[in-house]
Amino acid sequence: MRSALPASPDVNILIVDDDRNNLSALQELLQGPGLNVVLAGSGEQALRCVLKDDFAVILLDARMPGVDGFETARLIRQRPRSRHTPIIFVTGAYEDPPSMFRGYEAGAVDYIIKPLVPEVLRSKVLVFVELYSKNAVLTTEIAERRLAEEQLRESKENLRALAARLESVREEERKRIAREIHDELGQALTGLKMDLTWLTSRLPKDKKPLISKTKSIFRLIDDTIHSVRRISSGLRPEVLDEVGLTAAIGWQARDFQKRTGIRCKVTVPADSAGLDHERSTAAFRIFQELLTNVARHARATRVDIVVRLDGSKLVLEVQDNGKGISEAELDGSKSLGLLGMRERASLFGGNVAITGTRGQGTRATVSIPLRLN
C-alpha cells in the first residue's frame, strides 16, 4: 500500500516528460491530498505552465525531442517567477557524468535515475513540498506583519496629527483665556482702583480708620492686578505673540531668575525669523518645561541658555550646573515631562536630546526645523 504524501493545500507539482506512460505513472505515484499534479508533454508546454502557475518542484525529463530538458531548465531559470523553483531531472541509468554536470549547470537541484524507486521519489519531492509550504506561510506572515506595521505607522501618524491639533486648540484656548483675564478682569480692577482713588480723595482728613482701610484695599487691588498679570502671562505671554520667541525666552529667563534665585545667562540671536507661530510656541513651551525641571530637580545655581539658528534648524540649549541626571531617570516611568517635550518637538520633525553626569549638571539640546511663513 502506497503511503500518503502530506502536503499543504494548493501545492502544485509539474511533471515534464514526452512519454505519456511516464507522465501517468509519475502522476499516480505523487497524487495525494492537497497536491495538484500538472502534466506537460514538452518543454514548450512546461514553459507555458510556469508562466501561469507557481510550483513547489518540477520533475523534468532530461531527454526530450525539440526543446530538451536542459534547455527547458535554462529557460525556466530565466523567468523571475520560476527562477528559484527546484528542478529535479529524471533520466535513464545510461546518463553520463558530463551530461549530469550539464543538468546541474542548467539549474537542477537533484537527479533521479530510472527505474524509479517510489519511496525515494516521494521523499525527495516531499522535502521541496514542505519547503514550499513553509515558505508560503512565512511569506504570508511577512505580508501580515508589514500590513500591521503600516497600520501601526498610520495609527501613530494619526495620533501625532491629533496631538498636534489638540495642542493647537489648547494654545488658542490659553490665548483666549489669557486675553479675557487681562482685558476684562484687569480693566475691572483698574476701574475699581480709580473709583477708590476718587472716594479716598473725598474722605475727611480726620477719618483715619477709613483712610487706613482704603490703603489696605489699594494694596489688595494692586496684589490682585499683579496676580492677574502673572496668571495671564503664565497662560500665554504677550511678548511671545508681539515680539517673538527670542524675546519671550529672555523674558521667561528673567522671570525664572527672579522667582528662584537661580542665575540665568541668555544668548539669543537678533531675531527668530523663519520660525512660524506653531514652532515658536512649541520651542517656548519646551523651554518652560526645561526651566521647571531645573527648579524642581537640578539643585542648580546657574543656567546657561543659548538660542541659535543652525542652517535650517533652530537650536535651543539649556545647561545647568546642578546634580545631573542618570540614564535610569531619563528612561524612567516618571519622566513624563521629558516625554512631553520630545513629543512636542517630534510634531515638527525635531528632537530633544538630554545628557547629564552626576554632580556635573544636565544639558538639554532642542532642535526644531525652520519653516518659512
Side-chain angles (χ1 to χ4, degrees):
M1 182 176 179
R2 180 166 59 89
S3 61
L5 184 64
S8 300
D10 302 322
V11 175
N12 295 323
I13 298 174
L14 177 61
I15 303 174
V16 187
D17 199 310
D18 64 316
D19 189 319
R20 292 188 177 181
N21 292 330
N22 289 340
L23 288 176
S24 298
L26 289 172
Q27 182 182 28
E28 176 63 23
L29 190 61
L30 297 176
Q31 202 82 330
L35 286 178
N36 178 35
V37 180
V38 179
L39 305 179
S42 66
E44 293 88 345
Q45 189 176 353
L47 293 173
R48 288 194 292 270
C49 290
V50 297
L51 287 175
K52 181 181 178 182
D53 296 306
D54 293 324
F55 295 92
V57 61
I58 299 173
L59 297 178
L60 182 58
D61 185 20
R63 302 295 181 180
M64 293 186 297
V67 180
D68 65 9
F70 304 117
E71 183 62 22
T72 301
R74 274 192 291 269
L75 292 173
I76 289 174
R77 283 285 181 264
Q78 289 177 5
R79 289 168 168 78
R81 184 169 180 173
S82 56
R83 181 171 297 159
H84 302 293
T85 303
I87 298 174
I88 299 176
F89 274 111
V90 181
T91 185
Y94 56 81
E95 197 73 41
D96 56 7
S99 296
M100 296 181 69
F101 177 76
R102 183 184 173 196
Y104 285 119
E105 191 178 45
V109 297
D110 202 356
Y111 260 90
I112 294 180
I113 307 298
K114 299 177 183 177
L116 303 174
V117 179
E119 290 75 10
V120 173
L121 175 64
R122 285 197 298 272
S123 64
K124 289 190 175 185
V125 170
L126 176 60
V127 170
F128 295 108
V129 168
E130 289 182 343
L131 182 62
Y132 179 86
S133 299
K134 290 178 179 178
N135 184 65
V137 171
L138 181 60
T139 301
T140 301
E141 290 178 350
I142 291 173
E144 291 175 349
R145 180 170 295 183
R146 286 178 177 171
L147 178 60
E149 290 175 350
E150 178 65 20
Q151 291 174 340
L152 179 61
R153 185 187 63 79
E154 290 180 358
S155 177
K156 286 183 176 180
E157 290 179 353
N158 291 337
L159 288 175
R160 185 159 289 171
L162 176 61
R165 175 58 182 163
L166 291 175
E167 190 60 40
S168 176
V169 169
R170 188 167 73 169
E171 287 294 338
E172 289 301 319
E173 186 66 10
R174 281 179 171 178
K175 186 188 297 186
R176 183 187 66 79
I177 294 173
R179 186 181 298 114
E180 289 182 1
I181 290 175
H182 181 273
D183 294 347
E184 296 183 16
L185 189 55
Q187 288 177 9
L189 288 169
T190 301
L192 181 60
K193 187 174 180 179
M194 292 172 64
D195 289 343
L196 184 60
T197 301
W198 180 87
L199 182 62
T200 302
S201 66
R202 283 160 177 76
L203 288 175
K205 301 297 183 180
D206 59 343
K207 302 293 184 179
K208 292 183 179 181
L210 288 177
I211 294 174
S212 176
K213 191 62 176 177
T214 56
K215 289 180 179 179
S216 176
I217 296 174
F218 270 121
R219 288 194 296 269
L220 180 60
I221 292 175
D222 287 337
D223 290 343
T224 305
I225 291 174
H226 177 74
S227 295
V228 166
R229 290 173 178 171
R230 177 177 53 81
I231 293 171
S232 178
S233 295
L235 286 169
R236 181 72 183 187
E238 291 182 349
V239 66
L240 180 61
D241 297 316
E242 295 176 358
V243 187
L245 176 63
T246 54
I249 285 178
W251 167 83
Q252 185 67 65
R254 289 190 297 273
D255 181 71
F256 175 79
Q257 180 173 296
K258 182 179 178 181
R259 288 186 293 105
T260 64
I262 300 174
R263 291 179 294 118
C264 295
K265 179 184 177 182
V266 182
T267 304
V268 297
D271 58 61
S272 55
L275 202 65
D276 59 22
H277 174 77
E278 290 79 10
R279 284 166 169 76
S280 294
T281 299
F284 182 74
R285 293 303 183 193
I286 292 172
F287 176 63
Q288 285 184 313
E289 184 66 29
L290 289 172
L291 290 185
T292 299
N293 287 343
V294 171
R296 287 179 179 174
H297 309 296
R299 300 177 189 170
T301 60
R302 178 186 174 91
V303 180
D304 292 323
I305 302 152
V306 177
V307 180
R308 69 177 188 274
L309 298 178
D310 185 6
S312 60
K313 297 182 297 183
L314 177 120
V315 178
L316 166 66
E317 293 181 351
V318 178
Q319 169 79 56
D320 67 61
N321 66 344
K323 66 176 185 177
I325 189 170
S326 66
E327 289 293 331
E329 290 172 325
L330 285 173
D331 300 329
S333 59
K334 296 182 180 180
S335 58
L336 296 179
L338 302 181
L339 180 62
M341 287 187 287
R342 288 179 175 131
E343 187 61 28
R344 279 184 185 272
S346 68
L347 291 175
F348 304 101
N351 61 78
V352 178
I354 299 178
T355 58
T357 305
R358 281 296 183 186
Q360 299 182 24
T362 301
R363 174 187 291 272
T365 303
V366 183
S367 175
I368 297 179
L370 301 176
R371 186 181 67 183
L372 295 178
N373 295 322

